[in-house]
Amino acid sequence: MSRPQLPEPPLTRTGAEPPLVDAETDLRPTPEVAAARRRLRSHPALLLLGIVLASVNMRAALAGVSPLLGEISDHYGLSATTGSLVTTIPLVFMGLASPLAPRLARRWGTEAVLLAALVLLCGGVLLRVAPPLVALFAGGALVGSGIALLNVLMPGLIKRDFPHRAAGMTALYTTAMIGGATLSAAAAVPLENALGGWRGSLASWSLPAAVAAAAWLPQALLARRGTRHGQAAAVPVRTAPANATASGPGPESGSGRGRGRGLTRSPLAWQVTLFMGLQSLIAYVTIAWMPTILTDDGMSKGAAGLVFAFSTLVQMAGSFLVPLLAGRMRSQRLLAVAVAALMASGIAGLLVAPAGGAWLWAALIGVGQGGSVGLALTMMVLRTSDAHTSARLSGMAQTWGYLLAAAGPLVLGAVHQATGGWALPIGLMLAVCAALALLGLGAGRDRVIRP
């Protein structure tokens, strides 16, 4: 039996499209919501503005913390282990909140949930700077939850509203996301100096979130116009399409519940999930500790922030090129080893000469990180036979992947505190890179998950 094809495939074997997973798979909008969305698509400038502004906020609130982590820890008298919770807690809630996104979108609509995510993000950013220590961690939980909703729903929104321009829109949304993180990291210390401390620097990122929320408010209102109070925005797709044949169901048949359970029994699904988790672990350990490693070696705080911002900026190269290459290759095993090797080379440099070769190490780590996240997203599509399974694999990989990644900053902070240096933590990161390469050899095979 031939392999079923994805409808409007996000990424084909010829590399025509980038990896996109629709968070509302198995859902069909109500007639009122469908009509409202057609009206919204007649104003693409409003959609485009909303996507760009939301994307800028998807990493900025996290990246701006790293250069200030020392000051935050000193202010509250936190140990390295406890201080790592500032970056760990958002990751935990990014994993915990990811499965909620499709359910919320079904009930309220994607536009309304995106608006709520930005409001949640704005509130979390402001809560983090409130005086009590508990507010710092509670705000981080809200920030992580808001970002989780944006992570899951944004690609599906692009797939739905720009099906014939998915490649360009994905490049735009990814560039805006990385650009926001870069600007946040680079501006963290200057904003601290200009606004009288780390609280002013962190709080400043509530403004872009508020602006993005304002851009999504009319879209959320328009998308729900005509629906009765309490009416769901979408209903499950449970009937087989007309083109279903005896050889198997079409791409939208059934509720898909059995297939969702089947993913957890698939070794290939777990290889993709763990690849996603380990590459995220490396990325967020870098966010949490790279500037501290550099300042501990004698680099000034401002220079360390710029090096970290540069590492974030060059991720654009890897995140753009690697998915295109992956789509032109039947097996992505070589790419998986290559991106892991790039990150390992940069991390090893931090062990040998942290400040001396900082810009080179930052470039290697950044390109490798951008490539690894692009490859992880690509494999969620290439390793599945239909859009339903692809969406479920995306949810599985993001949920368990971010929960695994959350352990990274915490564990390395504890090891650093116990040993008083960075040699053993960096050695552990090199071991993670090796494990990532091995997982890539499995996840990158030319195989398809058939739950």
Side-chain angles (χ1 to χ4, degrees):
M1 182 169 55
S2 62
R3 175 179 175 175
Q5 298 299 311
L6 291 174
E8 294 178 1
L11 180 62
T12 66
R13 292 289 187 187
T14 60
E17 299 286 351
L20 289 175
V21 178
D22 193 344
E24 292 188 67
T25 294
D26 286 349
L27 298 179
R28 178 184 292 121
T30 62
E32 296 86 356
V33 173
R37 285 173 175 168
R38 284 192 292 271
R39 290 193 296 270
L40 279 173
R41 281 196 290 271
S42 67
H43 302 284
L46 182 62
L47 284 169
L48 184 64
L49 178 64
I51 288 170
V52 170
L53 291 176
S55 300
V56 166
N57 287 278
M58 288 173 67
R59 293 294 181 272
L62 299 177
V65 172
S66 183
L68 307 174
L69 190 56
E71 282 73 13
I72 296 171
S73 297
D74 291 343
H75 177 84
Y76 288 109
L78 304 178
S79 65
T81 304
T82 308
S84 65
L85 291 175
V86 177
T87 53
T88 297
I89 288 176
L91 289 179
V92 171
F93 280 84
M94 284 169 68
L96 294 177
S98 291
L100 299 177
R103 300 177 187 179
L104 293 172
R106 172 184 173 181
R107 180 64 183 82
W108 301 105
T110 298
E111 296 82 1
V113 177
L114 283 171
L115 170 62
L118 290 164
V119 172
L120 194 66
L121 178 60
C122 181
V125 169
L126 292 175
L127 182 59
R128 284 191 307 188
V129 302
L133 175 60
V134 67
L136 178 68
F137 298 131
L142 295 182
V143 166
S145 299
I147 291 174
L149 300 178
L150 294 172
N151 279 345
V152 175
L153 295 180
M154 186 62 71
L157 179 82
I158 291 174
K159 178 181 178 179
R160 187 194 74 197
D161 290 342
F162 298 93
H164 304 299
R165 289 179 285 173
M169 288 301 301
T170 301
L172 178 65
Y173 126 73
T174 305
T175 300
M177 181 177 69
I178 295 176
T182 303
L183 180 61
S184 177
V189 175
L191 284 173
E192 179 189 24
N193 296 332
L195 299 175
W198 61 267
R199 282 197 168 96
S201 181
L202 291 187
S204 65
W205 288 99
S206 64
L207 181 59
V211 171
W216 278 100
L217 179 59
Q219 300 187 62
L221 294 176
L222 286 172
R224 294 290 292 178
R225 180 178 293 176
T227 58
R228 297 186 303 275
H229 179 70
Q231 180 184 357
V235 294
V237 176
R238 297 185 183 278
T239 57
N243 64 348
T245 66
S247 63
E252 290 188 342
S253 66
S255 66
R257 291 176 183 175
R259 287 190 291 179
R261 290 194 299 269
L263 283 181
T264 60
R265 297 193 294 267
S266 168
L268 182 55
W270 279 110
Q271 287 169 341
V272 174
T273 294
L274 292 175
F275 186 90
M276 174 71 179
L278 289 188
Q279 69 83 22
S280 297
L281 186 151
I282 295 169
Y284 286 102
V285 164
T286 304
I287 288 175
W289 293 116
M290 184 178 181
T292 304
I293 292 172
L294 296 176
T295 54
D296 284 354
D297 197 53
M299 182 176 284
S300 70
K301 185 174 63 176
L306 289 176
V307 171
F308 173 62
F310 171 71
S311 181
T312 305
L313 179 65
V314 297
Q315 288 182 27
M316 293 182 187
S319 64
F320 179 77
L321 292 174
V322 169
L324 294 180
L325 293 173
R328 289 171 168 80
M329 303 167 68
R330 295 193 63 83
S331 168
Q332 293 76 40
R333 303 174 83 184
L334 180 61
L335 283 176
V337 173
V339 296
L342 281 172
M343 288 189 288
S345 299
I347 291 169
L350 292 176
L351 180 62
V352 176
W359 292 95
L360 175 59
W361 315 143
L364 293 171
I365 293 171
V367 174
Q369 285 179 349
S372 66
V373 68
L375 184 58
L377 294 172
T378 302
M379 289 193 295
M380 292 177 196
V381 175
L382 294 183
R383 298 289 83 87
T384 54
S385 58
D386 58 73
H388 294 178
T389 308
S390 182
R392 288 180 174 81
L393 180 59
S394 174
M396 175 179 170
Q398 291 198 55
T399 298
W400 292 106
Y402 283 125
L403 291 175
L404 174 60
L410 182 63
V411 171
L412 261 72
V415 173
H416 169 61
Q417 181 179 336
T419 62
W422 288 107
L424 184 55
I426 291 175
L428 291 174
M429 289 302 298
L430 291 174
V432 173
C433 289
L436 184 69
L438 291 175
L439 284 167
L441 291 175
R445 293 173 297 164
D446 185 22
R447 299 287 188 272
V448 174
I449 298 168
R450 298 187 185 278

